[in-house]
Amino acid sequence: QGMGIWDMESELHKKLKERAVEYLYNKSCWIAKPEVDCGYYGRYDVWGIKNDANLMTYGIECKVSKADFKNNRCKELKLDDWIERDVDTHIPANLNYILCPEGLILPEEIHRRYGLLWFNGERLVSKKTPLFNEMTDRRKVEIILKFLSSRQNNVPLTNNGK
């Protein structure tokens, strides 16, 4: 079996994903998982949903370099387009974040629909609040079903699970 793109993931990227999962659980998410396919949007590094009255959803993209951050531009354009055209069937999360090492990306570099989280070596620090995106409950359930029906739910959340 050859090496896939996920096999080449850096240790820093893995650590950021682990911290993002912890962050969402600390925000009272009922599900928080890495590598969640959200259909047309693509795959989030981490996606979570709260078990509250609104079923609030979160999507986190982990970035370890400026080049990696610039690769997110396509997703930003998709999100803008769907919201402007009111295409709720494609919205991937109520709140979207970029997570990076402290200082790598500045708040003013972040797209208006995304928040910014910095990892300072110990904890995540919020540097910018994202805009809220409306999503139907049906769309949220579709993402959960996609996750549950795919092989990605066999991926361990952390190295502690070994």
Side-chain angles (χ1 to χ4, degrees):
Q1 199 175 33
M3 275 186 60
I5 190 165
W6 307 118
D7 297 326
M8 297 182 291
E9 181 179 37
S10 73
E11 287 304 312
L12 176 57
H13 196 265
K14 286 179 191 173
K15 184 169 190 74
L16 291 178
K17 285 196 322 192
E18 289 174 5
R19 289 307 182 117
V21 168
E22 287 176 25
Y23 176 80
L24 292 182
Y25 279 131
N26 289 338
K27 285 201 152 293
S28 302
C29 280
W30 149 66
I31 295 172
K33 302 286 184 188
E35 303 300 335
V36 175
D37 180 4
C38 290
Y40 298 104
Y41 178 82
R43 191 178 294 269
Y44 272 112
D45 287 318
V46 176
W47 186 86
I49 185 169
K50 272 187 177 181
N51 188 10
D52 62 7
N54 300 320
L55 297 173
M56 181 75 75
T57 58
Y58 300 81
I60 300 179
E61 300 284 358
C62 300
K63 302 299 175 187
V64 296
S65 69
K66 287 280 193 175
D68 188 18
F69 172 61
K70 289 177 182 167
N71 288 338
N72 203 60
R73 186 72 183 130
C74 178
K75 289 181 176 179
E76 294 167 358
L77 294 172
K78 286 180 187 179
L79 196 54
D80 273 343
D81 181 52
W82 298 328
I83 289 170
E84 286 168 19
R85 292 190 298 133
D86 199 22
V87 182
D88 174 75
T89 56
H90 295 11
I91 303 300
N94 294 125
L95 299 172
N96 294 281
Y97 290 91
I98 299 292
L99 167 58
C100 68
E102 184 174 26
L104 177 68
I105 301 163
L106 302 176
E108 56 269 20
E109 295 177 274
I110 297 291
H111 185 275
R112 71 184 191 279
R113 296 200 185 279
Y114 285 74
L116 177 62
L117 300 169
W118 278 356
F119 177 58
N120 68 10
E122 293 179 23
R123 62 187 182 91
L124 302 190
V125 178
S126 179
K127 300 305 286 183
K128 179 182 176 287
T129 304
L131 289 180
F132 179 83
N133 302 307
E134 288 290 341
M135 277 178 89
T136 63
D137 289 347
R138 177 171 176 78
R139 176 66 179 136
K140 295 171 187 184
V141 169
E142 286 171 359
I143 294 171
I144 292 170
L145 290 175
K146 237 181 211 310
F147 171 76
L148 292 174
S149 65
S150 73
R151 290 181 27 173
Q152 70 194 17
N153 61 350
N154 295 325
V155 176
L157 292 182
T158 65
N159 291 336
N160 301 338
K162 290 184 179 177

